[in-house]
Amino acid sequence: ISSSYTMTAAGNTHAAAGSTDTNTTNLAEGGTLPSMRVALEDDTEQAQFLMKLSPRIRRLESNTHLKLMRRLEDALKKLKHDVEMNNEPQKKEDLLVIEHCIRGLMMLGKGKDVESLFARVAIMPLIRSNLSMGRLDQGGARGECAGLLTLLQDTARSVSQTYGSVLSSAEFLTSMEAASGNGDNTDINETEIVDIDLVTAGVWVPIATALMADPAIKMAIFSPGIASVLQANYTSFDAFLADLANSILKEQQRQQQENKTLSLTNEEEKVAVHSEEDTSATSSGLDHLYFEPSISSAQIKQIQNRIYCHPTTSDFSKKWSLPIYYQLRYGECCNRLNMAIERVKMEGWSAQVFTGTTKTNGDGAGFELEFFQELYDILLLLWKPDFILRPLTHRFLRGAVQLICRTLAFVSDCVDEGQQKKNKGGGSVGTMNTNGHPTTAAAAAADLSTTNHSLLSSNISDVATVAWDLHVLERIMSDDYPHRVILPAVGNSETNTSSENEDLQQIITGVLAESSEQIPPILHRLWHEVIVNILTAKCSGPLSAVKGVAATYRMTNRPPPTHASPFVATILKPLKEFDSEFSNKTPPQIGARWKLAVVTTVSQGYSAAVEELITTVQRTEVALKNRKARRTAAGVVSDGEKVKRQLFLDYREFSQMVHDLNIDVNAVAGLMKFKMLTADAACHYSPN
């Protein structure tokens, strides 16, 4: 082999030197010999000479190639045996032979043959010894692939321990060849095609091929039919592939340093004990002169990038049934949400529907209902390490949006259902009827009873709590969820650039913000329609007692009133109690307009009832005057005046209650009308 390699080098040197005198001149002037990769200058005589020698050159190249390949194969097999026998001196000789063979084959342009030989002779036997269905299921039930990660790690460890030095040497030779080809520029493109890539073509490709070739193993890994198993398999391979180059080369260098330290220690002991008898000590003392290649972190990163860019990696990634995995996982989330919705429909919003492991209130945001706690737990589940797969980020983001929209649609349907049932009941509670008069208490109770079967029309506490949880959900979707949950799960600071992470953040926040745009209209309806209608109905109930004010003083000879009617204090009592209970759980965008809407509607009904009562009292007084005239004692207050005075006192009490709710009395049209109707009694009223 040495003589063949020398003849090849000598033949090329003589051909280059005899081709032209210019080369000799350049060499004499301090230049370099022409590269074997540079074509000779055009010359008919030289071309004819080379054509005559070409058969001999090709035969010499073929023989050298065959002999180098055979010697390399034998050296690799011998290296494995010496590693198993822990024969350290012989391992160094084997490595020296392997390095020379690889260097010679690189010079002949046969790097692909080296990769193929290394994969067939060195790696495939290791893979066959580790890969089996029994080893794949080790530590778990059959079909769960519980031993996959251990299998991959053991394979990488075996490769590193046996052939790590060969891989380091080959990579060093490749980097030196690439650097010499680039001249003074020592920077190498991370994805540049190199002459020999043993880590990718010699290690990773055989592993991937073996896993994809066996039908049983292929089915168990790529299509297990169980979502959790598929996710665990994918995660194991992703971690293994991301650290393949580092685990093989760094582990080898660590072991090499340990062996070197141990060898030096042993040699020092031998020299101290057998300084005169051991003649091998002198030769072994030259071990530190052997060249040991060192692979930098930048080179390992280049190797890792070549692994990712290899076509086998792309083919391997296509074997995963990722769309099916997403459908299985999304189906689990939909089932949980649908079950929660059905429970709420049957048992109401206070139903115990949470099925997660640990209850959460939205990172301190304050979810009140278990329904929304269940929803948020589902949304968190989508991005947990044992659930999410980074290639499916766009699908899981879409799934999160769909779950949110499904929840909002359910709440909106509850609002619509209650509105439809209320409309079928015959009009709005506490508003004016077709004759311009307020609805009676019986009509209000009838209207309210028509909505008792709706989830969001009977229990005002549920309505307010649902509205608050929707507000919490809106806030989480704009801040906590994208920045604290999604981005840490899918953003990778090691592989993504800062601009890529910024783009990812903008996309995620934009999508979630768009889906949250449906929440404010629902909040508006819950507060300004549902809550306002329920409170209006409750506050309008006591207005039926307004007609009884006249009966209290008609022909009863009672003294003039000095206090407001008892029912007045109960008119706005439901509103006051509700405001006190939920003042801290009112969304900021709602404000106090809902209270003004309730007071306005109730005061309109109140003033209309008072106006009707005053008209009736006046008609009664006119009728009594047309009857037989009677003398009335001087200073005696008539029944009509007592009624008007009572209405004035009621107005003052009602106005004070409105003021206590932090509502401007002058902004309530019905209250102003009430004041005008009792203005005459106010002029003649004296507290004494």
Side-chain angles (χ1 to χ4, degrees), residues 272-563:
V273 177
H274 307 286
S275 58
E276 297 180 357
E277 299 178 359
D278 192 358
T279 57
S280 62
T282 304
S283 59
S284 61
L286 300 177
D287 290 344
H288 65 282
L289 298 178
Y290 280 87
F291 173 73
E292 295 179 356
S294 177
I295 305 300
S296 64
S297 300
Q299 289 175 307
I300 292 178
K301 184 178 180 181
Q302 294 169 9
I303 299 171
Q304 194 64 48
N305 288 332
R306 293 202 298 266
I307 292 176
Y308 282 128
C309 295
H310 198 273
T312 300
T313 307
S314 178
D315 296 338
F316 189 84
S317 301
K318 295 177 182 178
K319 300 296 181 181
W320 297 100
S321 303
L322 297 186
I324 297 177
Y325 171 78
Y326 170 75
Q327 293 298 330
L328 293 174
R329 289 303 200 184
Y330 182 66
E332 295 176 9
C333 297
C334 289
N335 289 336
R336 286 184 60 180
L337 183 60
N338 290 335
M339 291 176 61
I341 290 176
E342 293 301 323
R343 289 282 300 276
V344 169
K345 287 181 178 179
M346 292 187 296
E347 304 176 16
W349 289 100
S350 60
Q352 305 295 317
V353 299
F354 185 77
T355 59
T357 56
T358 304
K359 287 188 178 182
T360 177
N361 61 351
D363 295 337
F367 282 126
E368 299 289 337
L369 298 175
E370 285 199 9
F371 175 79
F372 286 93
Q373 292 177 2
E374 177 78 352
L375 171 64
Y376 191 65
D377 188 73
I378 295 173
L379 295 176
L380 292 178
L381 179 64
L382 290 172
W383 309 101
K384 288 186 176 180
D386 59 348
F387 207 90
I388 180 63
L389 293 179
R390 290 191 65 203
L392 297 175
T393 300
H394 62 293
R395 291 178 180 263
F396 277 87
L397 181 60
R398 183 183 64 187
V401 172
Q402 290 175 338
L403 292 172
I404 295 172
C405 293
R406 175 70 180 93
T407 302
L408 298 180
F410 169 62
V411 176
S412 182
D413 290 343
C414 292
V415 177
D416 294 337
E417 181 183 359
Q419 187 68 26
Q420 291 174 1
K421 290 184 178 181
K422 182 173 66 64
N423 292 337
K424 290 180 180 179
S428 300
V429 177
T431 58
M432 308 299 290
N433 58 22
T434 55
N435 296 326
H437 300 289
T439 56
T440 62
D447 286 340
L448 187 59
S449 65
T450 60
T451 60
N452 282 339
H453 300 288
S454 177
L455 291 172
L456 287 178
S457 60
S458 57
N459 192 331
I460 191 171
S461 298
D462 287 347
V463 179
T465 305
V466 169
W468 174 252
D469 282 355
L470 285 177
H471 167 66
V472 172
L473 180 64
E474 180 186 15
R475 185 165 63 85
I476 289 178
M477 289 303 105
S478 61
D479 185 17
D480 293 345
Y481 191 60
H483 296 94
R484 299 183 182 180
V485 178
I486 300 181
L487 287 176
V490 300
N492 194 328
S493 59
E494 296 181 357
T495 59
N496 294 352
T497 62
S498 58
S499 60
E500 289 174 343
N501 285 330
E502 291 177 0
D503 294 341
L504 183 63
Q505 177 179 348
Q506 292 179 358
I507 293 174
I508 293 175
T509 54
V511 170
L512 293 177
E514 184 177 355
S515 64
S516 301
E517 291 178 355
Q518 305 177 39
I519 297 180
I522 298 177
L523 288 178
H524 184 274
R525 292 189 62 189
L526 288 174
W527 278 91
H528 292 88
E529 293 182 15
V530 180
I531 291 179
V532 167
N533 288 339
I534 294 176
L535 288 175
T536 300
K538 291 183 177 182
C539 294
S540 298
L543 296 182
S544 59
V546 175
K547 292 184 178 181
V549 174
T552 302
Y553 296 100
R554 185 179 301 160
M555 300 180 183
T556 58
N557 201 25
R558 287 189 176 186
T562 57
H563 301 285

Side-chain angles (χ1 to χ4, degrees), residues 89-163:
Q90 193 61 41
K91 284 167 54 178
K92 294 182 178 181
E93 294 184 8
D94 298 337
L95 181 59
L96 189 61
V97 173
I98 292 173
E99 289 174 349
H100 281 297
C101 292
I102 293 177
R103 175 61 175 167
L105 290 169
M106 287 179 61
M107 295 297 296
L108 294 176
K110 302 298 182 180
K112 298 302 178 183
D113 293 343
V114 176
E115 297 172 352
S116 177
L117 177 66
F118 184 78
R120 175 175 55 85
V121 175
I123 303 302
M124 287 305 297
L126 290 178
I127 297 175
R128 295 191 188 99
S129 63
N130 290 328
L131 186 60
S132 65
M133 286 299 301
R135 181 67 187 279
L136 197 63
D137 294 328
Q138 185 177 3
R142 185 166 182 83
E144 292 185 354
C145 299
L148 177 60
L149 182 59
T150 305
L151 186 151
L152 295 173
Q153 292 175 346
D154 290 347
T155 302
R157 189 179 301 109
S158 299
V159 172
S160 178
Q161 292 175 353
T162 308
Y163 300 107

Side-chain angles (χ1 to χ4, degrees), residues 564 568 606 645-657 665-666 670-676 678 682:
V568 177
Y606 197 178
R645 183 176 296 182
Q646 182 65 65
L647 293 176
F648 170 70
L649 294 175
D650 293 347
Y651 160 75
R652 290 202 314 174
E653 178 72 12
F654 186 73
S655 299
Q656 184 61 39
M657 294 177 62
V665 176
N666 297 323
L671 199 56
M672 292 296 96
K673 182 179 180 181
F674 195 177
K675 179 180 180 181
M676 181 184 65
T678 58

